[in-house]
Amino acid sequence: DIQVTQSPPSLSSSVGDRVSITCRASQSITRYLNWYEQKPGQAPRLLIYAASTLQSGVPSRFSGSGSGTDFTLTITGLQPEDFATYYCQQSYNIPYTFGQGTKLEI
Amino acid sequence: QVQLQESGPGLVKPSETLSLTCVVSGYSITSYSWGWIRQPPGKGLEWIGTFSHSGITSYNPSLKSRVTISGDTSKNQFFLDLSSVTATDTAVYFCARLRYSSGYPLYDYWGQGTLVTVSS
């Protein structure tokens, strides 16, 4: 299985800040990397797929970058509704493994 | 608008089979692939497997001997069966649509999730 490691596990920030979350795969996954946001009691919501393509309806303050083994999710200008847990997922090989999550807190 | 809704028993006894249904509305299950993902309480997400209407399935090797995903196109729903459950199978189970964009797999629509507890 391809292992996916996210960092940091948690992050404290403030409204208006710029934050970055990283995801590292145990082998090259080219650009087969998705990012999801999950709020308590809710299902995950797709933010970005193919490493950098913004899902329809997702605000442009979210962006993704990277290829190979190293990827980054950046949120520019944090909004109150962005405080949530973020997961990356590799979709290069089955099983489509997820990172451990990054909890973004105020 | 695609909507997915999971249903099934909230409590299953150890060694028994966990069976869940995902009812899909707004889109035919013959047009995409579909999957199950689970999340133990307070923990991260685990990919279980996928199903397509053509009968092609893929499973997580860690669960492969115990899991079956199937569908009923006449009722536009698909199913998860997980046998010989233990307490470690306690989780919120999500169903989701698997779409391919330029060849890249992604889960774009999810059900709200259903909590299944394994306990005697």
Side-chain angles (χ1 to χ4, degrees), chain B residues 83-97:
Chain B
S83 64
S84 304
V85 297
T86 70
T88 59
D89 295 309
T90 294
V92 175
Y93 286 76
F94 296 99
C95 59
R97 187 178 81 168

Side-chain angles (χ1 to χ4, degrees), chain B residues 15-112:
Chain B
S15 81
E16 296 189 343
T17 296
L18 179 160
S19 295
L20 296 176
T21 299
C22 183
V23 178
V24 179
S25 59
Y27 224 96
S28 171
I29 67 168
T30 62
S31 299
Y32 287 97
S33 294
W34 306 84
W36 290 94
I37 296 101
R38 71 180 182 178
Q39 184 171 39
K43 296 188 177 181
L45 299 163
E46 181 181 25
W47 183 85
I48 298 173
T50 65
F51 151 85
S52 72
H53 74 281
S54 61
I56 297 174
T57 54
S58 298
Y59 300 131
N60 192 323
S62 68
L63 301 170
K64 189 171 185 177
S65 63
R66 299 193 292 129
V67 67
T68 303
I69 300 175
S70 59
D72 183 340
T73 55
S74 67
K75 295 183 178 180
N76 214 45
Q77 56 192 28
F78 62 103
F79 313 101
L80 170 68
D81 289 315
L82 183 65
S83 64
S84 304
V85 297
T86 70
T88 59
D89 295 309
T90 294
V92 175
Y93 286 76
F94 296 99
C95 59
R97 187 178 81 168
L98 176 62
R99 179 170 71 88
Y100 292 82
S101 178
S102 299
Y104 291 96
L106 56 98
Y107 290 95
D108 58 351
Y109 286 98
W110 295 63
Q112 65 185 24

